[in-house]
Amino acid sequence: MPVSDVPPGLDPVSSIKVIAAGGDSRWLPYAGKAIFSNVVPVDEREGKILLAFRVNGFGRNKYNPFSGPIQPGSNPVKAANRDLQAQCGLQAVDISKLGKLIVVLEGNSIALDIDVFRATSWRGEAVDTVEVRPRWFSSATALSSGSPKLSAVPWDQMFEDNKFWIPLLTEGKFFIGRIDFGAPSPGEDVGPLLRYWFATV
């Protein structure tokens, strides 16, 4: 794919493979970015992943990756590990960045610039906190049958874009993506998925 076809907001990449795309090419404009981390613990031996059921804030009543803001000048890996530990008690030992997402919400001039991390080893046990209730799910993917003792990932209780990139992260693939959401209904954080684009790099 030509570099020019990479959606706005993502750095040009010379060699990519588009995994999923939908909607038109009228990407929403934005004036600035707020940088965040997303972290997903992946237990490769047990075939499971840990997600956060958020009890307050953005993403309330949905399963999400563990997430938080990255302040300017902060170390992204340290910030991601800090939020993981604060939200569920796990301290990542082996954590690596696998993805970059640009998320734009209609009516919001600030895009979410998200560094996505995969943790494959950690210290401690996942516990409930005031922010989230961590739960393990089977990581069944094209490369793994996952854990037969656990429920499948609850895509219907997550933001729509997650189903495109979490399997890539689970399989250890590097990826980039752009997501535009429409205006939300009252009581919702985001509206319908307007357009999306994901590629491995």
Side-chain angles (χ1 to χ4, degrees):
M1 166 173 276
V3 171
S4 60
D5 289 345
V6 175
L10 295 168
D11 292 334
V13 180
S14 60
S15 179
I16 60 174
K17 179 181 180 181
V18 177
I19 300 301
D24 55 43
S25 60
R26 296 176 297 173
W27 298 101
L28 293 172
Y30 59 88
K33 294 179 180 179
I35 304 174
F36 285 81
S37 68
N38 276 187
V39 188
V40 179
V42 178
D43 187 325
E44 297 175 303
R45 185 174 64 85
E46 297 290 337
K48 60 185 182 181
I49 65 173
L50 188 67
L51 296 173
F53 184 81
R54 193 160 291 279
V55 297
N56 55 47
F58 189 87
R60 181 174 179 269
N61 292 330
K62 290 184 181 293
Y63 283 99
N64 300 270
F66 297 88
S67 61
I70 301 176
Q71 301 301 328
S74 297
N75 181 296
V77 175
K78 289 182 179 179
N81 202 358
R82 175 203 64 210
D83 291 322
L84 178 66
Q85 188 171 15
Q87 292 173 23
C88 74
L90 297 184
Q91 182 178 4
V93 174
D94 188 354
I95 182 171
S96 56
K97 179 182 172 181
L98 288 191
K100 166 69 75 176
L101 300 173
I102 300 296
V103 181
V104 183
L105 312 178
E106 189 172 19
N108 193 329
S109 63
I110 303 299
L112 306 181
D113 184 335
I114 304 172
D115 289 335
V116 186
F117 295 87
R118 179 180 190 253
T120 52
S121 65
W122 47 82
R123 288 190 287 268
E125 297 291 333
V127 296
D128 291 0
T129 64
V130 295
E131 294 185 64
V132 305
R133 297 176 189 143
R135 297 292 182 267
W136 289 102
F137 294 96
S138 172
S139 62
T141 66
L143 300 181
S144 168
S145 60
S147 172
K149 300 178 182 178
L150 295 172
S151 299
V153 174
W155 303 117
D156 60 340
Q157 293 178 264
M158 303 176 72
F159 290 127
E160 290 181 78
D161 62 294
N162 288 184
K163 64 186 177 185
F164 297 109
W165 63 264
I166 284 183
L168 300 176
L169 176 139
T170 301
E171 295 175 1
K173 296 180 178 179
F174 292 89
F175 62 91
I176 56 176
R178 166 74 193 251
I179 307 104
D180 281 5
F181 284 105
S185 301
E188 297 290 334
D189 292 313
V190 303
L193 186 61
L194 299 179
R195 53 194 68 85
Y196 57 91
W197 182 96
F198 297 93
T200 53
V201 298

